[in-house]
Amino acid sequence: MTSGPMRPDRHDAHEAGRPDGAAAVVIGGGLAGITAALALADAGLRVTLVEGRPRLGGLVFSFRRDSAVGELTVDNGQHVYLRCCTAYDGFLDRVGGRGLVPLQDRMDVPVLDAEGLRLGRLRRTGLPVPLHLAKSLATYPHLTLAERANVGRAALALKKLDPEDPALDRVDFASWLARHGQSPRTVEALWDLVGVATLNARAGDASLGLAAKVFKTGLLSDNGAADIGWSRVPLGDVHDTLAREALEKAGVRVELRTRASALARAEDGAWRVTVENGPHGRAQLDAGTVVLALPQREAHGLLPEGSLDDQDRLLDIGTAPILNLHVVYDRPVLRQPFFAALGSPVQWVFDRTEASGLAALPGGARSQYLAVSQSAAQDEIDRPVAELRKRYLPELERLLPAARGAAVRDFFVTRERTATFAPAPGVGRLRPAARTKTPGLYLAGAWTATGWPATMESAVRSGLGAVREALTELGFPQGQLPQEAA
């Protein structure tokens, strides 16, 4: 594996006696690209993965920060997955990271109401669906008895929906909830509590089809489907370090700091990928198979004309931001690993003390590092740090009484302005399938037509889907194709 300067030699599909089409290039080193590269290599193809950044992982990454308390390892944002995310779970297995990103034994979400500091919990039992949540909803203090009963009726109606029905994609989730008796308080305290974190949009801005996918799969498919997992180490340890090791073992050639600038099909049917690596100049990679695993606008910029019907529709897929606030206190202020908040601009708060390395710093054992994750943050993504500090520190003190006497040792912000595609009504018709109209060229990315919202699960599924299409076109038997995730 290489991660330094591009080698000037041509990566030719006929090299070393390989049959035509046995070489593949994957453009993009996020989860979709990593997954595709590994699956192609596992099938016996000779694979080159090119990534413009100096690391792998796409938008799931870590960086080092010289903080007032010492050098911290910071995740760009808080990423979680659920037990129903079987493709991402398989990715963790493939790179050897499962033990670093464990799941809860049973779903348990503390929900704190800023008004009166009432603590409720959304947690499941071992009973079958839908009884697994009945006890939790029956005692959920943030809804009235009537609102809880209406939740049950709406859930049963939701269970009957088919997320793949195109008609659902044209409807917003909030309208459907209102027709099914859900009060504004119920939407805030339950539906948006889950939906904003998983869809990166509030109910009024979200496609009913994608919302139905989230809630049917996560809460109504299996009693353990919504058990939550999150990384206990920096994200980069899994999605960059372990991923690179897995790619190296699989024989994938990785070229970092290398950007694909052109993609063309030669007269002999092979693909010519022009790549650039700063001072090392331009090179050409030839292959029979190319997987384009970039964000939708970047993919559109490289797609040859005629690769998709109405390929300009990719430019109509909107994006949605996520804002993360990072606060280091001089003492512990939160006893739980995370919680969600109601009646406050604060959405979700996670304890990142151990994963950041803070605990190992001098005096770090007495400090605590909290990450505040703010999805659907269109109104705040560009606010200055000083303004965000003034807005959110008092809110954290309101939610966490122990923070009221604590000193803030550090406060900083990470912003992902295009963190996900916007799951707006109508987006389903814009999302392309993995196979293009041009032989040998495939699309991957969480924004493609996976049926899932923009999650790590969708990204991994897209990579597997692209490889299934590629290997089918190359004539691989059905039994040798990557398996569909459950």
PDB file of all heavy atoms in Angstrom, residues 149-161:
ATOM      1  N   ALA A 149     -50.895   7.383  24.289  1.00  0.00           N
ATOM      2  CA  ALA A 149     -51.824   6.482  23.584  1.00  0.00           C
ATOM      3  C   ALA A 149     -51.824   6.777  22.091  1.00  0.00           C
ATOM      4  O   ALA A 149     -51.837   5.851  21.259  1.00  0.00           O
ATOM      5  CB  ALA A 149     -53.222   6.639  24.154  1.00  0.00           C
ATOM      6  N   ASN A 150     -51.769   8.054  21.729  1.00  0.00           N
ATOM      7  CA  ASN A 150     -51.739   8.424  20.313  1.00  0.00           C
ATOM      8  C   ASN A 150     -50.451   7.975  19.629  1.00  0.00           C
ATOM      9  O   ASN A 150     -50.453   7.663  18.438  1.00  0.00           O
ATOM     10  CB  ASN A 150     -51.906   9.936  20.156  1.00  0.00           C
ATOM     11  CG  ASN A 150     -53.347  10.369  20.325  1.00  0.00           C
ATOM     12  OD1 ASN A 150     -54.267   9.571  20.139  1.00  0.00           O
ATOM     13  ND2 ASN A 150     -53.557  11.628  20.681  1.00  0.00           N
ATOM     14  N   VAL A 151     -49.340   7.953  20.378  1.00  0.00           N
ATOM     15  CA  VAL A 151     -48.083   7.456  19.823  1.00  0.00           C
ATOM     16  C   VAL A 151     -48.239   6.003  19.391  1.00  0.00           C
ATOM     17  O   VAL A 151     -47.800   5.607  18.305  1.00  0.00           O
ATOM     18  CB  VAL A 151     -46.932   7.595  20.831  1.00  0.00           C
ATOM     19  CG1 VAL A 151     -45.724   6.759  20.398  1.00  0.00           C
ATOM     20  CG2 VAL A 151     -46.522   9.048  20.980  1.00  0.00           C
ATOM     21  N   GLY A 152     -48.868   5.213  20.232  1.00  0.00           N
ATOM     22  CA  GLY A 152     -49.079   3.804  19.899  1.00  0.00           C
ATOM     23  C   GLY A 152     -49.886   3.629  18.636  1.00  0.00           C
ATOM     24  O   GLY A 152     -49.561   2.790  17.780  1.00  0.00           O
ATOM     25  N   ARG A 153     -50.936   4.435  18.487  1.00  0.00           N
ATOM     26  CA  ARG A 153     -51.765   4.328  17.290  1.00  0.00           C
ATOM     27  C   ARG A 153     -50.997   4.759  16.042  1.00  0.00           C
ATOM     28  O   ARG A 153     -51.101   4.136  14.983  1.00  0.00           O
ATOM     29  CB  ARG A 153     -53.034   5.164  17.467  1.00  0.00           C
ATOM     30  CG  ARG A 153     -54.049   4.529  18.423  1.00  0.00           C
ATOM     31  CD  ARG A 153     -55.367   5.249  18.387  1.00  0.00           C
ATOM     32  NE  ARG A 153     -55.334   6.489  19.155  1.00  0.00           N
ATOM     33  CZ  ARG A 153     -55.631   6.585  20.438  1.00  0.00           C
ATOM     34  NH1 ARG A 153     -55.976   5.496  21.115  1.00  0.00           N
ATOM     35  NH2 ARG A 153     -55.592   7.738  21.069  1.00  0.00           N
ATOM     36  N   ALA A 154     -50.196   5.823  16.165  1.00  0.00           N
ATOM     37  CA  ALA A 154     -49.394   6.275  15.019  1.00  0.00           C
ATOM     38  C   ALA A 154     -48.336   5.238  14.648  1.00  0.00           C
ATOM     39  O   ALA A 154     -48.055   5.013  13.462  1.00  0.00           O
ATOM     40  CB  ALA A 154     -48.742   7.611  15.337  1.00  0.00           C
ATOM     41  N   ALA A 155     -47.761   4.599  15.661  1.00  0.00           N
ATOM     42  CA  ALA A 155     -46.742   3.582  15.389  1.00  0.00           C
ATOM     43  C   ALA A 155     -47.333   2.406  14.618  1.00  0.00           C
ATOM     44  O   ALA A 155     -46.695   1.863  13.698  1.00  0.00           O
ATOM     45  CB  ALA A 155     -46.121   3.104  16.696  1.00  0.00           C
ATOM     46  N   LEU A 156     -48.535   2.007  14.981  1.00  0.00           N
ATOM     47  CA  LEU A 156     -49.180   0.909  14.259  1.00  0.00           C
ATOM     48  C   LEU A 156     -49.470   1.303  12.814  1.00  0.00           C
ATOM     49  O   LEU A 156     -49.319   0.496  11.894  1.00  0.00           O
ATOM     50  CB  LEU A 156     -50.473   0.508  14.978  1.00  0.00           C
ATOM     51  CG  LEU A 156     -50.287  -0.179  16.335  1.00  0.00           C
ATOM     52  CD1 LEU A 156     -51.636  -0.443  16.995  1.00  0.00           C
ATOM     53  CD2 LEU A 156     -49.521  -1.494  16.177  1.00  0.00           C
ATOM     54  N   ALA A 157     -49.880   2.559  12.604  1.00  0.00           N
ATOM     55  CA  ALA A 157     -50.114   3.034  11.238  1.00  0.00           C
ATOM     56  C   ALA A 157     -48.809   3.109  10.460  1.00  0.00           C
ATOM     57  O   ALA A 157     -48.752   2.771   9.265  1.00  0.00           O
ATOM     58  CB  ALA A 157     -50.797   4.402  11.272  1.00  0.00           C
ATOM     59  N   LEU A 158     -47.740   3.527  11.117  1.00  0.00           N
ATOM     60  CA  LEU A 158     -46.433   3.618  10.474  1.00  0.00           C
ATOM     61  C   LEU A 158     -45.943   2.245  10.051  1.00  0.00           C
ATOM     62  O   LEU A 158     -45.325   2.082   8.989  1.00  0.00           O
ATOM     63  CB  LEU A 158     -45.446   4.277  11.436  1.00  0.00           C
ATOM     64  CG  LEU A 158     -44.100   4.739  10.884  1.00  0.00           C
ATOM     65  CD1 LEU A 158     -44.296   5.869   9.879  1.00  0.00           C
ATOM     66  CD2 LEU A 158     -43.207   5.217  12.020  1.00  0.00           C
ATOM     67  N   LYS A 159     -46.215   1.263  10.869  1.00  0.00           N
ATOM     68  CA  LYS A 159     -45.757  -0.096  10.587  1.00  0.00           C
ATOM     69  C   LYS A 159     -46.361  -0.633   9.293  1.00  0.00           C
ATOM     70  O   LYS A 159     -45.783  -1.492   8.626  1.00  0.00           O
ATOM     71  CB  LYS A 159     -46.111  -1.019  11.757  1.00  0.00           C
ATOM     72  CG  LYS A 159     -45.489  -2.406  11.703  1.00  0.00           C
ATOM     73  CD  LYS A 159     -45.743  -3.168  12.971  1.00  0.00           C
ATOM     74  CE  LYS A 159     -45.217  -4.601  12.876  1.00  0.00           C
ATOM     75  NZ  LYS A 159     -43.756  -4.648  12.711  1.00  0.00           N
ATOM     76  N   LYS A 160     -47.507  -0.114   8.892  1.00  0.00           N
ATOM     77  CA  LYS A 160     -48.182  -0.583   7.680  1.00  0.00           C
ATOM     78  C   LYS A 160     -47.635   0.072   6.409  1.00  0.00           C
ATOM     79  O   LYS A 160     -47.965  -0.344   5.306  1.00  0.00           O
ATOM     80  CB  LYS A 160     -49.683  -0.317   7.783  1.00  0.00           C
ATOM     81  CG  LYS A 160     -50.366  -1.075   8.915  1.00  0.00           C
ATOM     82  CD  LYS A 160     -51.832  -0.675   9.012  1.00  0.00           C
ATOM     83  CE  LYS A 160     -52.504  -1.371  10.192  1.00  0.00           C
ATOM     84  NZ  LYS A 160     -53.924  -0.935  10.344  1.00  0.00           N
ATOM     85  N   LEU A 161     -46.833   1.120   6.553  1.00  0.00           N
ATOM     86  CA  LEU A 161     -46.322   1.830   5.389  1.00  0.00           C
ATOM     87  C   LEU A 161     -45.187   1.066   4.731  1.00  0.00           C
ATOM     88  O   LEU A 161     -44.421   0.362   5.391  1.00  0.00           O
ATOM     89  CB  LEU A 161     -45.820   3.222   5.798  1.00  0.00           C
ATOM     90  CG  LEU A 161     -46.837   4.195   6.375  1.00  0.00           C
ATOM     91  CD1 LEU A 161     -46.153   5.519   6.735  1.00  0.00           C
ATOM     92  CD2 LEU A 161     -47.988   4.445   5.402  1.00  0.00           C
TER      93      LEU A 161
END
